Amino acid sequence: MRALLCAGAALLGLAAGGARAAERVTLQLKWVPQAQFAGYYVAQAKGYYKEAGLDVTIKPGGPDVAPPQVIAGGGADVVIDWMPSALASREKGVPLVNIAQPFKKSGLMLTCRADTGIKTPADLKGRTLGVWYAGNEYPFLAWMAKLGLKTDGSPGGVTVLKQGFNVDPLIQKQADCVSTMSYNEYWQVIDAGFKPEQLVVFRYEDQGVAALEDGLYALEPKLKDKAFVARLAKFVAASEKGWAYAAKHPDEAAEIVLENDASGAQTEKHQKRMMREIAKLLDTSGGRLDPADYDRTVAILLAGGTDQPVITRKPEGAWTHAVTAAEGQ
């Protein structure tokens, strides 16, 4: 009887241990809940994180949320950010390290009204351009440097309008062009009544200044902990599973995103369209950062000149394959 009681106690202990085994991971999004982050919401909804023994908290972002500041303050284990912003933050003292890169291509564009007469990048000289800040301005600054256009308001350059996260300056003719994403704001312009032929679009990918977007970043000191790296490996593997499902089932993925939109601001039409556009940007190799893509991004940023430089020197230790090379990847 005593042996049975001991065995029962051992089983209860294992069960309790199993309950305690769920490892916590907090993810900070770059923006509000939308299909841009569908892979993570799908991984959560489909139980992929739970299957990996993880308890994942997904924190929405917003106009007043800067992922580098959140992780520096201990508010997240992993953050989503664009590489220019992450590298700029690293140079300023926040030791961010890219641990995975789910997005292969950039969705950033500059969208102009065709009636302005703008047809080529050379026509941007002397124009008013809407630009997002809070870390999103860096690819634009690198592009303007490549074109030899000052952004400080001096003659012969461009006038920069600090753009809110909308396309109002274009619609209201406050700017000749505005920043848009291929999966979001561009379609807001279309929904506002513009036809594609009434717009001129410059994709950063086509201009040779596309930087990596929506990478996963963790703090360098924490990556010295093997247990933490192993936990992140499970998180990345489960997230990539979520992204693969979302790409194959865009409508369902959009519905899952909408279920996580507490604001109720998102629409089914827009999210389904967004998910289809997002699928075109995704990596298909398990989220492992391609060093060539990293080198290209760094080269673009270093070529940014002295007018509001993005980074002033080549970063060291800004990415690692330790997480994607760990078990489960």
Side-chain angles (χ1 to χ4, degrees), residues 18-97:
R20 290 194 300 270
E23 300 175 282
R24 294 184 178 181
V25 175
T26 299
L27 170 67
Q28 174 64 62
L29 302 183
K30 184 173 175 60
W31 192 239
V32 298
Q34 58 183 23
Q36 178 182 359
F37 313 110
Y40 309 105
Y41 285 119
V42 168
Q44 192 173 58
K46 291 294 180 180
Y48 300 154
Y49 290 139
K50 186 176 181 180
E51 290 172 5
L54 300 175
D55 177 9
V56 176
T57 298
I58 302 176
K59 299 174 67 173
D64 300 319
V65 177
Q69 294 179 10
V70 172
I71 197 169
D77 298 300
V78 187
V79 298
I80 297 172
D81 206 356
W82 289 4
M83 185 167 283
S85 172
L87 293 181
S89 295
R90 183 178 177 85
E91 187 166 298
K92 294 173 183 176
V94 181
L96 293 177
V97 175

Side-chain angles (χ1 to χ4, degrees), residues 5-247:
L5 288 174
C6 289
L11 287 173
L12 287 173
L14 286 173
R20 290 194 300 270
E23 300 175 282
R24 294 184 178 181
V25 175
T26 299
L27 170 67
Q28 174 64 62
L29 302 183
K30 184 173 175 60
W31 192 239
V32 298
Q34 58 183 23
Q36 178 182 359
F37 313 110
Y40 309 105
Y41 285 119
V42 168
Q44 192 173 58
K46 291 294 180 180
Y48 300 154
Y49 290 139
K50 186 176 181 180
E51 290 172 5
L54 300 175
D55 177 9
V56 176
T57 298
I58 302 176
K59 299 174 67 173
D64 300 319
V65 177
Q69 294 179 10
V70 172
I71 197 169
D77 298 300
V78 187
V79 298
I80 297 172
D81 206 356
W82 289 4
M83 185 167 283
S85 172
L87 293 181
S89 295
R90 183 178 177 85
E91 187 166 298
K92 294 173 183 176
V94 181
L96 293 177
V97 175
N98 180 293
I99 61 168
Q101 187 60 47
F103 280 44
K104 178 75 172 178
K105 297 180 180 179
S106 166
L108 185 59
M109 311 189 302
L110 191 69
T111 297
C112 311
R113 297 175 68 115
D115 59 15
T116 61
I118 295 174
K119 296 180 180 179
T120 70
D123 298 325
L124 296 176
K125 182 178 179 180
R127 305 289 186 158
T128 297
L129 311 178
V131 181
W132 292 318
Y133 276 73
N136 300 319
E137 72 273 25
Y138 300 126
F140 169 81
L141 295 176
W143 184 23
M144 292 302 104
K146 180 180 179 181
L147 293 174
L149 298 175
K150 293 286 187 178
T151 60
D152 58 3
S154 59
V158 299
T159 298
V160 174
L161 174 67
K162 191 172 182 180
Q163 181 184 339
F165 290 95
N166 55 58
V167 293
D168 292 348
L170 188 75
I171 296 170
Q172 298 170 6
K173 295 188 176 181
Q174 297 170 334
D176 300 292
C177 312
V178 294
S179 299
T180 61
M181 300 304 294
S182 62
Y183 51 80
N184 195 357
E185 290 80 12
Y186 172 78
W187 297 102
Q188 292 177 17
V189 177
I190 296 298
D191 289 343
F194 284 82
K195 296 179 180 179
E197 57 267 26
Q198 294 176 303
L199 303 170
V200 175
V201 174
F202 299 108
R203 294 177 178 270
Y204 279 58
E205 284 279 354
D206 297 337
Q207 300 306 316
V209 288
L212 288 171
E213 299 167 359
D214 287 52
L216 293 172
Y217 294 84
L219 292 178
E220 188 170 359
K222 296 192 69 174
L223 293 172
K224 296 178 181 178
D225 181 350
K226 292 183 179 180
F228 182 69
V229 170
R231 191 192 323 166
L232 292 189
K234 296 175 185 178
F235 168 76
V236 171
S239 297
E240 283 301 311
K241 191 175 179 181
W243 276 121
Y245 188 94

